[in-house]
Amino acid sequence: MREKEFLPNVKERLGIECLNEMQAKMMASASEARDIILLSPTGSGKTLAFTLPVMKMLRQPTGRVQCVVIAPSRELVVQIAGVVREVAHGFRVIALYGGHKVEDEVNSLKVVPDVIVATPGRLLDHAVRRNVDLMPVRILVLDEFDKSLELGFEEEMGKLARRMKNVSRIILTSATGAEVLPDFLRLDNPVTFDYLEANSKLRARMKVHRVESDGKDKLDTLLALLHSINNGPEPEKTIVFVNHRESAERVYDFLKRKGAGCVLYHGALDQRERETAVALFNNGSRPILVATDLASRGLDIEKVKSVVHYHLPLTPEAYTHRNGRTARVEEDGDVYVLVGPEENVKDFVTFDDTFGLDKEKESDLQSRFMTMYVSGGRREKVSRGDILGFLIKEGGLAPQSIGKINVYDHYSLVAVIEKDVPGLLNAVEGKKLKGEKRRIAPLK
């Protein structure tokens, strides 16, 4: 696939005016008959970096699977598939992962895709059931392969690799290093692009603040911090990291009672709850995300101004990945570490200053946006453009009143300025979106 066919999509659909150095080098590497190892920190544009050479390697659709991308988590699969779909216009891209209907996936596979993005277990299950033929696959991408190995997916990935006997190009990515490569891979004279040094630049764009807490229970300190750091008309996006699910629930419940616009994210939530939480945080209608370390990797989260370590991270790796949620793509960010009495701070945490709380200050921790639910998604042939046009034409909204739109399999979420919601609901009552009346209501 020639560059002039897909590069306009990068600009028009992803809003990226120019490629960074890593992305440009990765795209150029597609012309060499060599496998690729990409070492790159979180937030550096890695997904687009490996998508670009894949686009150059793709041939016109043949009714066979050409490329498989394997990632260790559902969230990462959804994120990657979203990027690939935008760039690979004209190619069929599907995502396979646990936590939603298998029947939908089986139906999707009846029309053979060009690109599959999947978690190892779900893809192997479809292959064993003969829902998909992996023999024709020419391009294999293992994203965050180090994490896949850490999570115990080596056996599944090995079985998948043995089913892809015609793979001629392999791309491996990692955010931590490539000291051990999977035994089942036989790389052909690989070229390595190492951008891990970018972590030092990331630290230069990041200020780490020590925040003293009067008691072991840091809830009041956290609330005072959130009020202290928000000065504008809109609260800035902040992720509060804790070490355990139970703590996440407790912190979330406390902030919600105190009137903060927050959302919860941890591994015990089902897939829909997790994707909804990310959507609400990304679109700004819930500017505070309370999360375990599950949110520190693999999520496409934009413009996070602050990271708060409510609990001290247990490992240097956890600390690095948490901090990597802010100061992304050349932006600045702030990290706040809450330290209780007699609490020992690990050596890997270094501070730039001690932050002074303004315990009398009260800020508005609610967003002016509300998220609306639309009962139609990709399976109903509803697109972002359809929803945007409907809200403007039938709902009477100005474009600036509409925020981010997320389209899922059977539903969509759209951020709308809250004061415009009553008028919108009156205007669209009885109106049809893509030929059908659909439920449109504030998301509860």
Side-chain angles (χ1 to χ4, degrees):
M1 190 177 182
R2 288 171 295 183
E3 294 170 34
K4 66 180 182 180
E5 296 177 38
F6 64 82
L7 279 182
N9 295 335
V10 174
K11 179 178 180 180
E12 295 166 13
R13 294 170 175 266
L14 296 178
I16 297 174
E17 293 292 333
C18 60
L19 305 180
N20 63 30
E21 176 191 338
M22 174 182 69
Q23 292 161 347
K25 285 189 174 182
M26 283 288 288
M27 185 169 68
S29 71
S31 303
E32 304 176 31
R34 301 174 67 183
D35 294 327
I36 302 169
I37 299 174
L38 174 61
L39 308 178
S40 175
T42 300
S44 57
K46 175 168 57 70
T47 300
L48 182 58
F50 71 70
T51 297
L52 293 171
V54 167
M55 291 302 99
K56 290 185 70 173
M57 296 174 198
L58 284 179
R59 299 167 183 162
Q60 289 304 310
T62 61
R64 296 182 175 185
V65 182
Q66 298 188 56
C67 173
V68 166
V69 182
I70 296 176
S73 70
R74 304 169 183 176
E75 289 78 10
L76 194 49
V77 165
V78 172
Q79 173 196 327
I80 294 168
V83 172
V84 177
R85 283 193 187 103
E86 298 291 5
V87 180
H89 192 58
F91 289 83
R92 182 167 169 75
V93 180
I94 68 169
L96 306 176
Y97 55 92
H100 67 163
K101 292 181 179 179
V102 177
E103 294 81 3
D104 282 344
E105 293 184 348
V106 172
N107 290 333
S108 295
L109 289 167
K110 288 178 179 176
V111 179
V112 179
D114 302 288
V115 180
I116 292 176
V117 186
T119 51
R122 182 53 70 95
L123 180 57
L124 182 60
D125 184 58
H126 281 296
V128 169
R129 295 172 184 269
R130 298 186 179 181
N131 296 329
V132 62
D133 179 12
L134 300 179
M135 187 67 74
V137 175
R138 298 183 298 105
I139 309 159
L140 174 61
V141 181
L142 299 183
D143 188 33
E144 295 202 4
F145 73 89
D146 57 318
K147 186 67 173 177
S148 293
L149 297 179
E150 177 187 320
L151 293 173
F153 292 135
E154 183 168 2
E155 183 178 353
E156 287 96 333
M157 291 194 298
K159 289 179 179 178
L160 287 168
R162 288 191 287 274
R163 288 174 176 266
M164 302 182 212
K165 298 186 183 298
N166 291 303
V167 168
S168 57
R169 298 294 296 277
I170 298 174
I171 301 175
L172 303 182
T173 83
S174 170
T176 57
E179 295 179 4
V180 180
L181 295 179
D183 292 336
F184 54 83
L185 291 178
R186 296 292 181 267
L187 300 187
D188 181 18
N189 189 26
V191 57
T192 299
F193 296 102
D194 189 345
Y195 286 89
L196 293 179
E197 280 300 309
N199 274 332
S200 60
K201 296 180 182 178
L202 174 67
R203 180 63 178 89
R205 301 197 308 271
M206 181 189 299
K207 293 291 186 183
V208 181
H209 312 277
R210 182 184 180 107
V211 182
E212 300 285 356
S213 178
D214 296 336
K216 291 182 179 180
D217 188 334
K218 305 173 187 176
L219 290 174
D220 290 333
T221 303
L222 172 62
L223 184 62
L225 173 64
L226 293 173
H227 283 301
S228 295
I229 64 178
N230 283 292
N231 300 306
E234 280 283 298
E236 296 177 328
K237 286 185 184 175
T238 300
I239 303 180
V240 180
F241 280 108
V242 300
N243 288 344
H244 309 288
R245 296 172 184 173
E246 296 78 8
S247 301
E249 299 272 1
R250 181 169 175 266
V251 171
Y252 166 76
D253 288 340
F254 171 80
L255 292 179
K256 190 175 178 182
R257 288 198 308 271
K258 296 297 182 179
C262 55
V263 70
L264 178 68
Y265 189 91
H266 59 63
L269 303 176
D270 65 31
Q271 180 61 26
R272 182 157 174 170
E273 289 172 322
R274 283 154 64 171
E275 67 186 16
T276 299
V278 173
L280 293 175
F281 183 62
N282 251 343
N283 70 23
S285 62
R286 295 290 185 273
I288 301 166
L289 178 68
V290 181
T292 60
D293 284 333
L294 182 67
S296 66
R297 290 180 73 169
L299 293 185
D300 185 16
I301 296 176
E302 304 167 354
K303 299 185 181 303
V304 176
K305 182 62 177 68
S306 303
V307 164
V308 178
H309 298 274
Y310 181 84
H311 289 145
L312 294 174
L314 301 177
T315 66
E317 292 77 18
Y319 182 64
T320 298
H321 288 304
R322 286 181 181 185
N323 291 351
R325 296 289 91 195
T326 189
R328 294 164 72 92
V329 196
E330 305 306 320
E331 294 182 349
D332 295 331
D334 289 287
V335 174
Y336 300 89
V337 182
L338 274 56
V339 182
E342 302 179 5
E343 190 169 13
N344 294 321
V345 178
K346 302 290 179 65
D347 292 339
F348 55 77
V349 180
T350 58
F351 298 106
D352 295 308
D353 58 42
T354 297
F355 186 82
L357 294 174
D358 183 351
K359 295 186 178 181
E360 302 302 318
K361 182 181 176 184
E362 289 196 7
S363 305
D364 187 358
L365 300 181
Q366 289 281 354
S367 171
R368 63 194 177 104
F369 279 95
M370 173 182 283
T371 294
M372 305 295 292
Y373 170 88
V374 180
S375 64
R378 280 191 292 266
R379 305 288 178 186
E380 291 75 34
K381 308 299 183 185
V382 174
S383 70
R384 286 201 297 261
D386 295 329
I387 295 171
L388 180 63
F390 178 79
L391 294 179
I392 293 173
K393 183 179 178 181
E394 304 292 351
L397 293 181
Q400 57 267 30
S401 294
I402 305 169
K404 193 175 181 66
I405 300 172
N406 295 92
V407 179
Y408 301 99
D409 282 350
H410 295 292
Y411 71 101
S412 302
L413 300 176
V414 53
V416 174
I417 291 182
E418 187 170 6
K419 68 179 180 61
D420 295 333
V421 170
L424 167 67
L425 294 175
N426 287 331
V428 300
E429 187 174 1
K431 301 289 179 61
K432 292 183 178 180
L433 170 60
K434 285 298 285 282
E436 289 190 25
K437 293 181 181 179
R438 304 188 188 277
R439 180 170 170 251
I440 299 175
L443 181 72
K444 296 181 180 179

